[in-house]
Amino acid sequence: MAFESGTCWQCGQTLHHTDYLGDSRCGNCGAATHACRNCRHYRLGQHNDCMENQADRVVDKNRANRCDWFQPGQPQAGQQDATTKSADTLRAAAEDLFK
C-alpha cells in the first residue's frame, strides 16, 4: 500500500510516506507516526475510537502499532482524548489557584 503524506497528530509537522514506516517518529516532536492518532480512521467516540470496524483494538492511541488498516490522515481539529483534556483542565485550575 502506498502511503500519502500527512501531518503529525501532536505538532502538525508535515510527514512523508517514509515517515510512517515501522516505529518511525516525528522528526520535530518525537511522537509515533504509525499510531492511531495519525490515522484517517481515528475518530473519538466511535467503537475503539476507529471508523474501521474490522481493526483490532489498540489501547494506547498515541503509541506506534502494526494495524493493517492504518492510513495516514490529517488529525481532526479539536480531537483530544479525555485524558489530555482532563490534564489540561487540571493544570489550568492549579495555575489559576496559585496566581
Side-chain angles (χ1 to χ4, degrees):
M1 170 192 286
F3 288 139
E4 305 166 7
S5 63
T7 58
C8 175
W9 63 269
Q10 185 163 289
C11 71
Q13 174 78 19
T14 299
L15 301 172
H16 303 286
H17 69 282
T18 55
D19 294 321
Y20 295 103
L21 303 175
D23 291 330
S24 294
R25 300 206 162 268
C26 173
N28 187 53
C29 70
T33 56
H34 197 289
C36 293
R37 295 286 300 267
N38 243 13
C39 181
R40 75 176 194 90
H41 298 297
Y42 177 72
R43 291 291 184 284
L44 277 176
Q46 293 292 317
H47 175 70
N48 196 28
D49 293 332
C50 184
M51 297 292 292
E52 179 49 63
N53 60 9
Q54 296 181 43
D56 291 334
R57 181 171 183 255
V58 175
V59 176
D60 188 345
K61 308 299 185 195
N62 300 343
R63 294 185 73 185
N65 62 63
R66 303 277 185 219
C67 180
D68 292 333
W69 298 97
F70 178 84
Q71 292 181 0
Q74 302 300 324
Q76 301 298 308
Q79 279 208 1
Q80 293 180 316
D81 51 32
T83 56
T84 304
K85 284 183 182 177
S86 186
D88 290 345
T89 302
L90 288 172
R91 188 176 301 108
E95 289 173 359
D96 289 343
L97 184 65
F98 294 107
K99 282 186 178 180

